[in-house]
Each structure stands twice: as C-alpha cells, then as structure tokens.
Amino acid sequence: MSAVRERAAGMFETLSVLHLRSLADAQPSSAGELLQTECHPVSECIARLKSMSGEEWADFLRFAQLQRVKLRTLQILDRCFKGESKLGEPRLEHLEYLAQAEQREIEQALGVLDKVVRALQDRKSTR
C-alpha cells in the first residue's frame, strides 16, 4: 500500500472509531470515561490526534470534510475534550470556532439551495 493510501486509511479508521463509538454512547459523560481507559480504541485515536502536527491536523480535517463528517467530527472531539484545559494543543481549543464556521458554511449552502429551488418553482408556475 502506498504511503498516501496508508495515511488515508489511518484517517478513515480514526473517523470510524470516533463516530461509531459516539453512536454507541448515549450519555455525554461517557466520552470522558472512555478517555480514562488507556487501551480503548477511542483513547488511541485521541492520542493520535494530539500527536499530529499542524499540517497533519489540517489534512485530517480536510479528509473529514471529504467524507462529509467534518462538523460531526468536531462536535465529537469537542465533547471528548469538555472540561480539559488546553490539552497543550492550541488547535483543540478552537474546536467550537471551527464547528461554528462549518455550521455557517452549511447555512450558506442551504440558503443558495433554497434560492435555486424557489427559482425552479417560479419557473414551473409560469409555464
């Protein structure tokens, strides 16, 4: 397997573990409990994310965006890090900001789609 494919597979695995475990956990406090279990796959994913360079972190977020799960990923990570101070990682402090930016992009896209639908409806009604 090429280095690029291995890297993509690792990012996909990280996303999968975070998202699948998040679906299994109904209680918000469970994410913190999971992190206390050293051998748990979620703990391993979080450790991997913490050790990423700035470029690797940006690549991970771009990959999450390509998979159409960026906002959800940011929300999961935000939940995992609730109550922890700074974690020594400035990028993790900005999860809320990134999630808000992603939400604004979604709202803008929905606004454009709404205009397109209305234009198509108007055109249909004038026929």
Side-chain angles (χ1 to χ4, degrees), residues 1 37 46 81 84:
M1 188 181 297
T37 308
I46 297 301
F81 295 118
E84 293 187 32

Side-chain angles (χ1 to χ4, degrees), residues 13-102:
E13 179 185 3
T14 299
L15 286 173
S16 298
V17 169
L18 289 173
H19 287 261
L20 291 174
R21 191 58 196 191
S22 175
L23 290 174
D25 296 325
Q27 299 175 358
S29 64
S30 62
E33 293 167 12
L34 286 173
L35 293 175
Q36 293 174 4
T37 308
E38 296 269 336
C39 62
H40 197 283
V42 174
S43 295
E44 293 170 15
C45 289
I46 297 301
R48 213 173 315 154
L49 290 169
K50 285 181 177 182
S51 68
M52 287 181 175
S53 68
E55 183 179 328
E56 290 171 326
W57 177 253
D59 286 346
F60 176 74
L61 291 179
R62 279 193 292 275
F63 187 80
Q65 187 167 1
L66 285 173
Q67 301 303 316
R68 304 289 190 238
V69 294
K70 183 178 177 183
L71 179 59
R72 182 74 181 121
T73 300
L74 293 171
Q75 291 168 337
I76 291 168
L77 292 173
D78 186 49
R79 232 185 30 219
C80 287
F81 295 118
K82 280 282 190 240
E84 293 187 32
S85 61
K86 297 188 184 179
L87 297 166
E89 298 288 341
R91 62 180 174 260
L92 297 177
E93 293 176 359
H94 302 291
L95 288 176
E96 185 175 334
Y97 170 78
L98 292 171
Q100 290 173 354
E102 182 73 9

